[in-house]
Amino acid sequence: MPADPATLFFVLVITSATGTLLLTWCWLQNSAERTLLWTAAAYAGVAIGSFLFAGRGIIPDRLSIDAANAFSMLGMALAWAAGRAFNGRPILPWVPAIGPLLWVLACQLPAFYASFPARVMLSSTILAIYAVLTAREFAQRDGLLGRVPVVAMFVVHAVFVALRIPLTLTTVDDLPGVYQAAWFGMAALEAIVFSQVIAVLMVSLTKERVEKRLNAAALTDALTGLANRRALLERGAEAVAEAARRGRPIAVVAFDLDRFKEINDRFGHPVGDAVLVAFAAAAVATLRPGDIAGRLGGEEFAVVLPDASAADAAAVAERLMTAFRQASAAVEGCGEGCTTSAGVAASPAGRLGIEQLLSAADRALYAAKREGGDRVRFEAVAEVA
């Protein structure tokens, strides 16, 4: 592929500089997303390196060779830092520094500096390693689909960079030879495409995570961290539909904290909030991974128990009540522990809807409250075949 090196470097400089500005602007719109700032810094490093590369033969070699490669390596290293920031992991300063530092030190050796193949081998190896480390950093399983193309792009880029080593060793002896090589245009084009695509993918990935967090927040009770009423009903309906499909039992337990208004009035809302949090902690510690716990509102909670009979659900309710009493004992005003009442409703074959089960459980709950609280009651509901 015929290619004019000056034109290709100019395009790469413009692309990297544009990426820097785009990512910086996106970060200014959401300064909490440090990933965008680190990625902007990575693009700035590549832009400076490419600009210095373009000056080869015009500016001193110490700038067009030493500094140009060091800035390019730093840019790729900062992409790794962006991945660490995205995952909320600490950024170890020595990791981005070691590659450029190793390069600068090697350039002080006359034999190394005089060997074009040696310089290509070291620079390409460092760049490829940073690209692989960045791909590894983004290759986390958290349900974000945008991670996949980011990882793929860094892996492909690492391969292209690594291929410079055998291609250089077998086809050329110096930089002018590289510019005349058939593969140089393709390598430069890959670098340009990589630079353009990664900027878009990083913005898209960050946006995807922000949207996921907002969606999760819309379905989560802010105080307890349990599902809110909407989420409980949605997930409960899904669990009931699955139980009906498989012909398996499912149960719902409704809870109401005993004398909660009295605790709030006597000790204040902060203590009441602590009691609610204690119940949520007891639920999380007691329930199985597939069970669904949520706060319906105020001091009312409910849990959906797939593959559970009425007896199973009553046993779960008893364990949760005991765990809550123990967890709340440390809260001011609870003395030896607060208590709760529970109502159980079950569907042996999953033929009852979530609203029906909650209504039946609620009726059983208030039967328990009328009897003085701190107990479990069950209401049978007929299923239609």
Side-chain angles (χ1 to χ4, degrees):
M1 178 185 293
D4 174 30
T7 301
L8 292 174
F9 278 123
F10 177 76
V11 173
L12 187 55
V13 169
I14 295 300
T15 300
S16 301
T18 302
T20 303
L21 295 175
L22 167 67
L23 291 158
T24 301
W25 174 255
C26 291
W27 172 72
L28 289 173
Q29 306 308 303
N30 189 354
S31 58
E33 292 296 332
R34 293 189 306 122
T35 302
L36 297 174
L37 183 60
W38 282 106
T39 309
Y43 269 76
V46 174
I48 295 172
S50 300
F51 179 77
L52 294 174
F53 275 128
R56 184 71 181 275
I58 302 174
I59 60 177
D61 285 352
R62 289 299 179 186
L63 291 176
S64 64
I65 297 178
D66 303 30
N69 280 283
F71 273 107
S72 295
M73 294 170 191
L74 180 61
M76 188 59 70
L78 291 178
W80 168 86
R84 299 283 289 189
F86 188 82
N87 293 330
R89 302 175 68 183
I91 298 170
L92 310 173
W94 64 268
V95 177
I98 192 171
L101 180 60
L102 178 61
W103 167 259
V104 171
L105 291 176
C107 286
Q108 308 313 305
L109 303 175
F112 172 82
Y113 205 67
S115 174
F116 177 72
R119 296 202 308 267
V120 171
M121 289 179 64
L122 181 59
S123 63
S124 299
T125 299
I126 293 173
L127 288 169
I129 289 174
Y130 276 132
V132 170
L133 289 176
T134 304
R136 181 175 180 271
E137 199 61 47
F138 279 104
Q140 305 291 327
R141 296 183 179 180
D142 58 2
L144 295 176
L145 297 179
R147 286 183 180 271
V148 176
V150 171
V151 172
M153 288 299 297
F154 275 102
V155 169
V156 170
H157 188 60
V159 172
F160 268 85
V161 171
L163 282 175
R164 298 176 191 173
I165 298 174
L167 290 173
T168 299
L169 294 178
T170 58
T171 62
V172 298
D173 297 317
D174 53 20
L175 186 60
V178 170
Y179 291 160
Q180 298 302 318
W183 53 266
F184 173 72
M186 183 62 69
L189 179 61
E190 184 277 332
I192 293 169
V193 172
F194 172 77
S195 180
Q196 292 175 331
V197 173
I198 282 295
V200 176
L201 290 179
M202 290 303 298
V203 173
S204 176
L205 178 59
T206 303
K207 180 175 179 288
E208 180 186 358
R209 185 171 68 175
V210 169
E211 291 176 349
K212 184 177 181 180
R213 286 174 174 174
L214 291 175
N215 290 337
L219 298 174
T220 302
D221 178 62
L223 176 63
T224 64
L226 299 180
N228 59 19
R229 183 182 186 91
R230 172 187 163 190
L232 181 71
L233 291 175
E234 289 180 0
R235 296 175 60 191
E238 292 172 358
V240 167
E242 177 64 15
R245 186 183 69 80
R246 298 169 53 210
R248 300 292 298 169
I250 189 168
V252 170
V253 185
F255 294 90
D256 186 274
L257 308 190
D258 297 330
R259 294 177 291 280
F260 183 74
K261 185 177 184 304
E262 179 183 327
I263 293 173
N264 256 346
D265 292 343
R266 183 176 177 185
F267 299 101
H269 289 286
V271 173
D273 289 349
V275 172
L276 296 173
V277 170
F279 182 87
V284 171
T286 303
L287 300 177
R288 302 168 300 176
D291 297 335
I292 305 164
R295 183 183 178 192
L296 296 175
E299 69 274 26
E300 297 181 3
F301 296 83
V303 296
V304 180
L305 305 170
D307 288 317
S309 64
D312 296 331
V316 169
E318 293 283 3
R319 288 198 300 272
L320 200 160
M321 292 163 69
T322 300
F324 170 57
R325 186 181 295 108
Q326 295 171 347
S328 62
V331 178
E332 178 187 3
C334 285
E336 296 181 356
C338 299
T339 62
T340 181
S341 301
V344 175
S347 177
R351 296 195 184 99
L352 297 176
I354 185 64
E355 294 282 4
Q356 292 174 286
L357 286 169
L358 275 172
S359 296
D362 200 51
R363 290 193 295 270
L365 167 65
Y366 282 95
K369 298 287 283 186
R370 286 193 299 271
E371 295 176 19
D374 192 20
R375 64 197 67 207
V376 180
R377 288 295 176 260
F378 169 75
E379 175 159 322
V381 187
E383 286 189 328
V384 178

